[in-house]
């Protein structure tokens, strides 16, 4: 594009037209409005899926994922993303079952390692030989 064409194209966007964009009175969902899809709707869809196929949604998802993997399909990557986004946050919760003495041992080991690191960082190359 020439410089003149670029200036002409960008000039029309400098002044915003009153008929395009921006917030308008009454636009959008009303405050306090409910979601269009609620849990009851989702459960109804899942129940109908089970009635027609005899399988729950999770089983169908896993079967499709395994079929995509068998075919070396690029679709398998999408299934990985779906499963990782939905399952990993649930699996990421970790329960700590250490006793107070174990926590204190770990704290002391960390402090010792940190002090050794500080000694190494503060020493000169001649001292480390």
């Amino acid at each position: 594009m020439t410089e003149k064409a670029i200036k002409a194209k960008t000039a029309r966007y400098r002044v915003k037209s009153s008929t395009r964009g921006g917030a308008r009175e009454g636009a959008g969902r009303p405050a306090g409005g409910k979601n269009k899809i609620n849990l009851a709707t989702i459960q109804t869809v899942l129940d109908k899926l089970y009635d027609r196929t005899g399988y729950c949604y999770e089983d169908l998802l896993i079967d499709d994922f395994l079929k995509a993997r068998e075919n070396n399909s690029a679709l398998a990557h999408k299934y990985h993303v779906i499963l990782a986004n939905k399952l990993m946050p649930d699996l990421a919760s970790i329960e700590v079952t250490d006793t107070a003495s174990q926590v204190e041992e770990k704290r002391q080991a960390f402090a010792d390692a940190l002090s050794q690191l500080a000694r190494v960082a503060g020493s000169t190359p001649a001292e480390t030989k």
Side-chain angles (χ1 to χ4, degrees):
M1 275 181 129
T2 66
E3 188 175 332
K4 184 178 180 181
I6 292 171
K7 284 183 181 180
K9 187 173 184 179
T10 57
R12 70 178 180 183
Y13 294 110
R14 289 186 187 169
V15 177
K16 193 168 191 173
S17 173
S18 62
T19 61
R20 292 181 29 205
R24 292 174 303 284
E25 187 68 30
R29 187 186 308 174
K34 302 291 182 193
N35 291 334
K36 291 183 180 181
I37 299 178
N38 56 23
L39 290 177
T41 305
I42 293 170
Q43 191 59 48
T44 302
V45 170
L46 292 176
D47 290 343
K48 286 182 180 181
L49 181 67
Y50 181 79
D51 291 342
R52 285 192 178 175
T53 64
Y55 296 101
C56 65
Y57 176 72
E58 291 85 2
D59 291 341
L60 291 172
L61 181 66
I62 291 170
D63 288 343
D64 289 345
F65 171 65
L66 293 174
K67 288 176 189 173
R69 284 196 58 182
E70 288 172 4
N71 297 334
N72 292 327
S73 170
L75 186 61
H77 174 71
K78 292 183 181 182
Y79 278 104
H80 276 288
V81 171
I82 290 170
L83 293 172
N85 287 339
K86 295 299 177 189
L87 296 179
M88 292 304 165
D90 295 339
L91 299 176
S93 61
I94 298 172
E95 186 177 330
V96 178
T97 58
D98 289 345
T99 63
S101 62
Q102 291 173 324
V103 170
E104 187 56 39
E105 288 174 12
K106 290 177 182 179
R107 184 178 291 137
Q108 186 60 43
F110 179 75
D112 293 342
L114 192 59
S115 66
Q116 288 176 355
L117 185 63
R119 274 188 256 136
V120 170
S123 64
T124 62
E127 293 174 0
T128 57
K129 289 184 180 177

